[in-house]
Structures are given as structure tokens and as C-alpha cells.
Amino acid sequence: HQCITAAESSRLNPYALHPDEYAILREHISHTQVTTYLNIRNGILRLWINNPRIGVSRDEAVGCAKDERWYDVASVCYDWLVRSGHINFGAAEIPAGRKPHKETKPLRRRKTVAVIGAGMSGLGCARQLDSLFKQYANEFNDMEQEPPRIIVLEGRDRLGGRVYSRALDSSKSPRILGFRGHRHSVECGGMIITGFERGNPLNILVRGQMALPYHALRPDAILYDTNGKAVDEERDRMVEKLFNDCLERVSDYKFKSAPSKLIEGNKDLIDEGRDSASEGHKSIADVEEATAALPQAPPISKQSLGPQVSLVPVSTDRATGRAHVEPGTPAAFKAAYKARSMGWTLKEDINEDNDLELGTAAKATAATLGSVVDEAINQYKNLVDLTAQDFRLMNWHVANLEYSNATNYHQLSIGGWDLDAGNEWEGKHTMVIGGFQNVPLGLAIAPSRLDIRKDTAVKKILYDPEGMAGSRIECEDGSVIEADYVVSTIPLGVLKHGSVEFQPALPIEKTEAIDRLGFGILNKIILVYDHAFWDPDADIFGCLRTPLSRHSLKQSEYASQRGRCFQWFNVSNTSGIPVLLALMAGDAGFDTEHSKNDELVAEATEVLRRVFGIKVPQPVHSIVTRWGSDKFARGSYSSAGPTMRIDDYQTMAKPVGNLFFAGEHTSSTHPATVHGAYLTGLRVASEVLGTMLGPI
Ligand code: F2N
């Protein structure tokens, strides 16, 4: 069982081959041997997950094969797991590579890899390269090369990029007394680690390697209405269901991606850790070639699953606003019928056959998630009686969705806005106590110190798109770095802004994807107090906002206000002092860029006073983030822009010659997240090593 859990924790299906494994093994093993292979692979993963402070050695991995005949396959599996970053990643002590079987040869010039950016993706990549180069030192020796040097170029004077735990400086706020000498910090950027139990690689780093303390967010969050009273839970649930149904109706217009081929082992045997008795003599490839002429089974259609389950129901997470898949009834049901089953009373002349007519909104060339959902909400108004409070509630959910996408939902693609839904992992959301930034810092120093040049802003990258000649990186301070391989983790916002020049210009497919993808703004207002006046046992609470003309039942009138301090985090547990953090999402995120701190703090205080009474004091210290004006970010994170194409994130990830791309905006499975950024760093490290050593 531990092997099964280890595979799941490593984001691998314990019972089926990953597409890469399939590509490596299809000519070498038979269908029946897949079971044996998976048992070996899951066993290696178990060794790793049981103690991720120390990397698994090749000998240990090979020992997972029960039979000598499988040693070679186990060794290949080990190579794949190491190179792809499924084991031996992060801040682990790394076992030495193969013993040199040839004499050490005279070495040629040492190659250089330059990584631009010391955020999670850049540091993740540099650390992984460092570790891979150690593990494959002998292979480099065979090529008469010393393992390459890695240099990280960072424009800021600090590490972590969009993970920024800003220290609360007691000298600036003399009233934060008693805290002098202690390191208190607040998260100005990425903060929440989602699905911490199983699958999130940050779990291994935070818990398994760095042993950082963390706080699991308590998910229940009260929503307060504008009069300061908690919203009736039942009403809240009804509105949320209606909102989710609007999102589901949009899912008919979603991008469809082809399901990937699944080569499975025998589940029962794998569960028991037993291998298949028979061996099978034809390789997977032979069998496939023999059956290629046979007609393929038709793809599974929504209807064939029966009317009761929907394949892609959508709802948004309360703490993060991110879309996730939940079992639900399909949008195919008539809206009025669904509304009634949610507990709504239908208007007098409406019966269960009445439906929404979203056709015109959805088929318009300029259709966006916002235009269609706004239309759906407006049409629901004709089926059931929606009050002004219902509109406030509905727009709180819109704000929450806009928060996770860092933009107004009229700037989101109807087909691709939730492309990553379904990839979420199990477990609570957590926050690192004492600062999330300790994770990138940990990568920078352990197990050995990386060569990181801070205050080194890159302004120009001259590269060879054919990958034959080396690259030249010019920095703002006049320094020049020659590199054989370049990894860019430059944020999408900076790429859009054009402040880093590529010579030659990036290929057109990439510049078009840069244009189509979105890069919006989420900002935070952080308020430090000398005592807590809120419920210390609640981590999150929401505040409904009114449009400029109060009691409006017009959806469009809510956009500018709904994201203003709509969601609050009590981060005292992780900061060590009484701190509240309010989100400015959607249009509000953008407005924050050119609003004055005093006005924002006054507005936030006003929102708090409605809930906690007029005694709410002025904060002793406050911080307002402005990620849009930040020269090294130019916004908060990427999103599915209105005209995006299904493979835009993959296009962002493609290398051009020896110029590689990592960063949050190159992850099609976990964009806009810290763990997603980290995984792209691992991916690119694997690509770079593959270019140097060739495939496994
Ligand atoms: C250069 C140059 C140059 C640049 N020369 N160096 C909740 C949960 C999950 C996902 C989302 C959310 C909601 C959002 C949220 O509240 N989080 C959040 C996030 C970002 C920001 C800005 C805010 C305000 C809030 C949040 C979260 O809780 N949980 C997450 O998992 N992610 C969250 N994000 C997004 C992540 O912070 C972000 O995706 C990730 O950190 C990006 O990492 P990358 O490595 O891709 O980029 P970055 O850290 O910007 O590193 C690039 C580096 O390059 C940076 O150090 C620059 O200074 C540097 N650089 N130009 C040299 N010319």
C-alpha cells in the first residue's frame, strides 16, 4: 500500500505507465510485464517518499527488482525517475552517480548554464541541474567534459520572486514593540500551498526536507454582508449552487483535449505488490502494430455516462478561488428544473421546462467567461426572484474566481479559463509559518550553495535558434555572461512588457502566445495591529460589497466593487503577530496600482468596522502591494486570455535552440501557482540534461 501512496504522492498513476515510460519501454516489455515494471517503479518511489532528505541511489533502486532479469529495466526506470524529477529533487543530499568505469579523461572547456530569475522555477531548475550534474558526473566524464557550471541571474536584491515574505521592520513602526529581534513576516506574493497531502511537490520540500512548520487553513469561512451580519448559510449555499450552474453551462464551450492512451498493469496484483506470473512474449509495440489496422473505439461521450453525472462540473474553491471538478448534475438539465432542485422557488409563470438561452452570448466572437456568465445570471433573474443580497453573494463568488485568475472575468477565455481544473491534489491548504520565502531560500543553499548573482537584471539575450552557437546575455549593469544553455524564467508580464530583448526575436508562435495569454494583477492590503479583535480560530472570512448604486440588480454594476477587500485572511498564525490581509481582486487589483495607501487602508478599515464595530483601531503598520508596477513581474500571474488557444501554455514551454523556458506561465497543468512554477523548473532541468546527454 505504501508503494501505491508513494506513486500518488509523486503524481503518477500507480496502475498505469506515464506517457514517457510508455515511450521508453514500449519496445522492451510486454503488456503482462507492465505489472512487474510498475511494482518496481512504485517501490523506488516508496524509498524516496519514505525519506526525501537523502536521494535514492541506483543500487537501492535496482534492488527493488526481485529478479536479476529486471535489473536493467529497474536501472532505466531509475534514470527516468531521476531525470524527470520524480525522485531525488529539492534540497536532498544526492548520492554519487555511477562509479567511473573509465579513467578520468582530460577535460575540455566547461560548459555554462545560465538561469535567468531566482523565483521558484529558476531556483528549482538550478538546484535540480546541480543535483543531476552530480548524479551524472561520470557520463560527463565519458564525454570528456566537466559537469557544467550553473549561474543564476536575478534582477532583484532578493530571492524568491513572487514568493516574498516581507519582514515586518519594527524600526519603521515603533509600535510593533516587543517584536524587535524576532523575524516576523507577511506574504506579499504567493502564500497558499494547495492540496498539501498528496501530490504537491512542495510537501516534500517543506515537510520532508526543510522541516518548516506550517499551518493548515481551516476552510470554513463566514461571509459578512454589508450590514456586518453573517450571511444565512442556506442562502449562501443556494446562490453558490446557482453560480456553479452558470459556470457549468459555460463548460459546453470548453476546449476539448484528446484523452491520452492508458497502458495499465493488473490492479489487483499491484495492490498486493505481486508480479504477473506469465511474461507475455510480444512487446507493447509489436501488439500495437498488429492491432493498428483495427478500428478504434469511439471516444466516450458525455451522454454515454448516463444522465446523472456530469463530466466537467465546476465549482470554485473558497480559499483560493481556483476551479475544481466536483460531481454534479449536468448542465444539460433545464435551468429552471435545476434551480428548483437547489431550493429556489420559480417565478409565477415559470415551469421546470424553462431554460437559459445562452446561445447568442456564447457564440459571439468576443465571448468571454464574463460575458456568458453575466448573461446567465441576468437570465436566471427571469426564472427565480434574486434579491440585491443574492447579487452581492453571486458577485462575491465572481470576485473569488477573479482572484484566482488575477483579472476581471471578462478577460478570460470561455474555452480555457479552467484548463487546469481536475489537476488539484488531495489535502488541506497550508501556509508556511515564518515565511514561504524560506522554501526558495532553502533551495538556494542546501545541500550546497548555488552561484546566484543578485542585482543583475538581464536586458538582452542573444541566442542561436538552431542551438549550434552559444548565447550571450547582457545585463543592465553592463556585465555580459556567455552561456551554452540559457533558461529563461522571466515572468510573462515582463515578456509582454518587452523590457528584455531577444535577438533574434522569439519565434512568432511564441510571441503570439505571449500576446494571447493574460497576465493580470492581484494585490494585497496588509494590516498589522497590536492586538487581535477578530476570531482567532478563523483563518478566512469574506465581505460582500455593494455596487456604486446600492441595491442594484444589474450584474454589470458590480464589477468595479466586488473584488475590493472581498476576502480576508487572518495570518497571525504564520506571521507571529496580529495581522489581517485583504485581497484586492479583479478590477480592484488593477485600481490598487494607482490608489493611495491612506485611502486603501481607510477603505479596508471601513469594511472591518462594519463587521467588528466602530472600535476597530487604525493599524499600527500597513503594507499595500503593487505587483503591476513591479519591474520584475509586471503583474501577479498568468491567466487564460479571451483569445487563448488550447496549447498556448505548451507553446510557452517549448525551447528554441538552447534557450529554454520555465516559469508559472509555462505550466499547462498548474499555471499561476508556486508548485506549478517549481515543476516547470524540474521539467526544464530534465530538458537541458537531455540535450547534453541524449535520451535515456
Ligand atoms: C529577472 C528579470 C530580468 C524578472 N533579469 N531577473 C491561490 C492558490 C493557488 C494559486 C493561486 C492562488 C491565488 C493567488 C495567491 O494568493 N497567490 C499569489 C501568487 C502571486 C502573487 C503575485 C500574489 C499577490 C498572490 C498564490 C498562492 O497563494 N499560492 C500559489 O501557489 N501561488 C500564488 N501566486 C502565484 C505564484 O506566486 C507564482 O505563480 C510563482 O511564484 C511564480 O514563480 P516563477 O518562478 O514562475 O516566477 P517569479 O517568482 O516571478 O520568478 C521570476 C524571477 O525572475 C523573479 O525573481 C524576477 O525578479 C526575475 N526577473 N525579470 C533578471 N530582466
Side-chain angles (χ1 to χ4, degrees):
H1 181 72
Q2 282 192 7
C3 298
I4 308 293
T5 319
E8 286 166 355
S9 299
S10 307
R11 300 170 305 288
L12 290 171
N13 182 337
Y15 308 110
L17 299 181
H18 182 277
D20 293 350
E21 293 176 295
Y22 164 74
I24 297 170
L25 296 169
R26 64 188 287 270
E27 310 222 355
H28 304 287
I29 65 170
S30 71
H31 273 107
T32 32
Q33 288 175 320
V34 169
T35 302
T36 311
Y37 171 80
L38 289 171
N39 280 332
I40 296 171
R41 179 254 261 168
N42 297 345
I44 302 174
L45 290 167
R46 178 185 152 189
L47 290 178
W48 165 245
I49 294 290
N50 278 356
N51 183 11
R53 281 175 195 238
I54 301 169
V56 179
S57 71
R58 188 178 296 274
D59 285 349
E60 287 172 313
V62 169
C64 290
K66 293 176 202 146
D67 182 328
E68 221 174 290
R69 286 174 301 160
W70 281 89
Y71 285 178
D72 282 349
V73 172
S75 185
V76 167
C77 174
Y78 177 73
D79 277 312
W80 179 66
L81 291 173
V82 169
R83 282 199 189 194
S84 60
H86 283 96
I87 63 170
N88 299 5
F89 61 84
E93 265 327 310
I94 290 308
R98 285 179 213 266
K99 301 243 163 14
H101 44 78
K102 288 178 198 152
E103 273 172 49
T104 308
K105 297 190 174 163
L107 301 176
R108 283 198 236 130
R109 188 180 76 85
R110 192 178 182 192
K111 294 204 165 155
T112 301
V113 185
V115 178
I116 305 174
M120 268 309 273
S121 61
L123 291 172
C125 177
R127 167 57 61 210
Q128 182 70 356
L129 283 171
D130 183 69
S131 152
L132 289 174
F133 292 164
K134 288 198 178 102
Q135 293 175 85
Y136 288 93
N138 199 48
E139 280 74 0
F140 283 100
N141 181 47
D142 286 349
M143 298 188 303
E144 300 173 20
Q145 281 176 24
E146 214 179 310
R149 141 192 22 243
I150 306 154
I151 302 173
V152 183
L153 304 172
E154 169 54 52
R156 302 178 195 269
D157 60 0
R158 62 168 180 86
L159 308 184
R162 279 171 273 165
V163 175
Y164 177 28
S165 315
R166 195 168 132 175
L168 291 171
D169 183 353
S170 53
S171 65
K172 278 199 197 130
S173 320
R175 292 190 57 197
I176 312 180
L177 284 176
F179 301 116
R180 203 179 289 274
H182 291 267
R183 296 182 59 192
H184 298 289
S185 63
V186 281
E187 305 298 352
C188 290
M191 173 168 93
I192 302 174
I193 308 180
T194 53
F196 196 58
E197 274 327 304
R198 199 172 290 181
N200 194 321
L202 299 183
N203 180 336
I204 304 286
L205 270 58
V206 170
R207 209 162 27 178
Q209 299 176 335
M210 302 179 187
L212 297 171
Y214 59 88
H215 171 75
L217 289 179
R218 292 158 288 193
D220 12 80
I222 295 179
L223 293 187
Y224 294 100
D225 204 348
T226 39
N227 59 5
K229 298 224 163 64
V231 175
D232 173 60
E233 277 180 42
E234 184 48 33
R235 195 71 184 182
D236 178 18
R237 252 192 299 279
M238 277 167 64
V239 174
E240 186 175 11
K241 282 186 184 156
L242 208 63
F243 175 68
N244 288 346
D245 186 58
C246 295
L247 292 180
E248 268 179 61
R249 278 166 202 281
V250 176
S251 68
D252 280 350
Y253 303 93
K254 234 177 248 183
F255 294 154
K256 311 268 183 305
S257 44
S260 57
K261 185 184 277 193
L262 207 60
I263 307 288
E264 288 175 293
N266 181 320
K267 182 171 184 298
D268 294 336
L269 291 178
I270 294 174
D271 277 337
E272 293 165 24
R274 289 196 294 129
D275 297 342
S276 179
S278 70
E279 288 279 276
H281 23 264
K282 280 196 173 152
S283 72
I284 299 174
D286 286 341
V287 176
E288 279 176 351
E289 271 145 37
T291 53
L294 298 175
Q296 298 283 311
I300 306 168
S301 71
K302 257 191 195 183
Q303 280 72 17
S304 66
L305 287 168
Q308 297 309 318
V309 245
S310 170
L311 263 185
V312 279
V314 167
S315 84
T316 48
D317 182 285
R318 285 247 161 157
T320 66
R322 299 204 72 79
H324 62 92
V325 177
E326 257 182 15
T329 43
F333 288 151
K334 299 274 200 291
Y337 167 82
K338 283 191 84 176
R340 224 184 56 79
S341 64
M342 292 170 200
W344 293 90
T345 314
L346 299 182
K347 283 190 167 182
E348 224 166 68
D349 46 345
I350 297 297
N351 64 52
E352 290 186 352
D353 277 339
N354 287 93
D355 206 356
L356 306 186
E357 301 292 338
L358 297 178
T360 29
K363 287 195 189 98
T365 38
T368 62
L369 178 68
S371 70
V372 184
V373 173
D374 275 1
E375 179 75 19
I377 295 171
N378 280 328
Q379 290 189 11
Y380 257 125
K381 214 163 50 181
N382 303 325
L383 304 183
V384 297
D385 280 316
L386 293 177
T387 63
Q389 187 196 42
D390 296 332
F391 265 81
R392 291 195 291 276
L393 271 166
M394 191 83 83
N395 279 283
W396 186 89
H397 289 287
V398 177
N400 200 33
L401 185 155
E402 293 182 335
Y403 144 50
S404 75
N405 290 284
T407 196
N408 184 306
Y409 77 161
H410 285 264
Q411 296 303 321
L412 291 176
S413 154
I414 179 173
W417 74 277
D418 66 338
L419 220 47
D420 57 334
N423 299 333
E424 53 281 348
W425 296 307
E426 271 175 52
K428 293 206 168 107
H429 300 329
T430 58
M431 285 176 61
V432 174
I433 294 175
F436 201 178
Q437 212 180 339
N438 285 321
V439 177
L441 290 178
L443 287 175
I445 57 169
S448 57
R449 211 168 260 280
L450 294 170
D451 179 356
I452 303 170
R453 321 243 166 116
K454 291 193 254 186
D455 290 311
T456 307
V458 168
K459 64 169 192 205
K460 192 168 179 180
I461 303 167
L462 299 100
Y463 70 104
D464 173 11
E466 306 301 326
M468 306 303 282
S471 303
R472 184 185 147 90
I473 300 170
E474 296 179 3
C475 304
E476 281 177 10
D477 63 4
S479 59
V480 171
I481 282 104
E482 308 277 350
D484 302 276
Y485 305 88
V486 178
V487 177
S488 163
T489 75
I490 297 168
L492 178 61
V494 177
L495 294 176
K496 277 179 180 284
H497 194 258
S499 41
V500 179
E501 187 189 340
F502 290 86
Q503 193 177 319
L506 291 174
I508 187 112
E509 60 159 359
K510 226 184 245 288
T511 55
E512 285 180 353
I514 292 172
D515 289 344
R516 282 191 297 262
L517 287 174
F519 199 78
I521 305 176
L522 169 80
N523 274 315
K524 296 180 176 181
I525 301 174
I526 297 164
L527 306 172
V528 183
Y529 295 94
D530 48 20
H531 70 277
F533 48 82
W534 53 88
D535 173 6
D537 293 328
D539 290 319
I540 312 169
F541 58 91
C543 292
L544 309 188
R545 305 304 315 261
T546 7
L548 294 175
S549 56
R550 306 188 99 226
H551 309 301
S552 172
L553 298 184
K554 276 207 196 106
Q555 182 54 14
S556 57
E557 293 188 7
Y558 284 79
S560 68
Q561 301 299 304
R562 63 184 167 227
R564 304 187 74 87
C565 306
F566 83 101
Q567 179 83 302
W568 290 78
F569 290 85
N570 158 24
V571 290
S572 318
N573 277 309
T574 47
S575 296
I577 43 170
V579 188
L580 289 179
L581 184 160
L583 297 179
M584 295 290 274
D587 288 352
F590 288 76
D591 292 343
T592 309
E593 297 286 319
H594 35 81
S595 305
K596 294 203 179 80
N597 282 17
D598 290 355
E599 287 166 16
L600 292 169
V601 171
E603 182 180 343
T605 305
E606 167 66 26
V607 171
L608 286 175
R609 283 186 178 154
R610 265 185 244 151
V611 176
F612 299 104
I614 46 160
K615 288 200 193 108
V616 168
Q618 283 297 317
V620 292
H621 183 56
S622 62
I623 297 169
V624 177
T625 68
R626 290 195 179 74
W627 286 100
S629 323
D630 183 314
K631 177 182 167 193
F632 295 112
R634 301 279 179 203
S636 298
Y637 38 89
S638 67
S639 54
T643 59
M644 87 166 282
R645 300 200 184 149
I646 187 166
D647 53 357
D648 277 347
Y649 278 104
Q650 279 100 333
T651 303
M652 292 309 305
K654 272 194 207 154
V656 185
N658 287 335
L659 173 58
F660 297 82
F661 294 88
E664 156 274 305
H665 58 288
T666 68
S667 170
S668 56
T669 51
H670 301 94
T673 62
V674 177
H675 50 264
Y678 179 63
L679 288 174
T680 67
L682 299 184
R683 171 184 47 79
V684 164
S686 174
E687 289 170 4
V688 171
L689 188 81
T691 315
M692 294 169 175
L693 299 185
I696 295 171

